[in-house]
Amino acid sequence: MESLSNVKLLSTILRTTGKAEIAVTGKSMEPTLEEHDLITIVPQDEYAPGDIIVFVYKNNEILVHRLLKVNSRYYCKGDN
């Protein structure tokens, strides 16, 4: 339930202020981003391969990964 609350809170902040700041957890984006690094999320109209994106994944997890390829879907993975 906490994950869903975090997603709702993040969505509300992004809608009202246009940006949000979150702390990175985990090691999937090392060495680019380390655990506890603060990142600012600013929604864009378009994303390109190489961009770091934040998105909601299964079970309402908020993930930070690098965009690898875009066609009808977004393909991404962590840097580590």
Side-chain angles (χ1 to χ4, degrees), residues 2-13:
E2 182 179 325
S3 295
L4 181 57
S5 297
N6 289 340
V7 169
K8 287 181 177 181
L9 179 60
L10 182 59
S11 295
T12 300
I13 292 169

Side-chain angles (χ1 to χ4, degrees), residues 13-25:
I13 292 169
L14 288 169
R15 264 194 321 275
T16 56
T17 68
K19 65 181 179 179
E21 190 173 79
I22 63 170
V24 173
T25 59

Side-chain angles (χ1 to χ4, degrees), residues 8-56:
K8 287 181 177 181
L9 179 60
L10 182 59
S11 295
T12 300
I13 292 169
L14 288 169
R15 264 194 321 275
T16 56
T17 68
K19 65 181 179 179
E21 190 173 79
I22 63 170
V24 173
T25 59
K27 299 177 182 272
S28 70
M29 284 302 292
E30 287 182 356
T32 307
L33 299 172
E34 304 282 337
E35 180 122 20
H36 307 296
D37 282 352
L38 293 178
I39 60 172
T40 301
I41 303 167
V42 181
Q44 303 295 309
D45 292 331
E46 294 183 23
Y47 299 95
D51 289 348
I52 294 175
I53 61 174
V54 177
F55 59 98
V56 178

Side-chain angles (χ1 to χ4, degrees), residues 55-69:
F55 59 98
V56 178
Y57 192 61
K58 296 178 184 176
N59 300 320
N60 292 307
E61 295 176 77
I62 299 170
L63 293 182
V64 179
H65 279 355
R66 187 167 307 277
L67 184 59
L68 301 176
K69 177 173 84 168

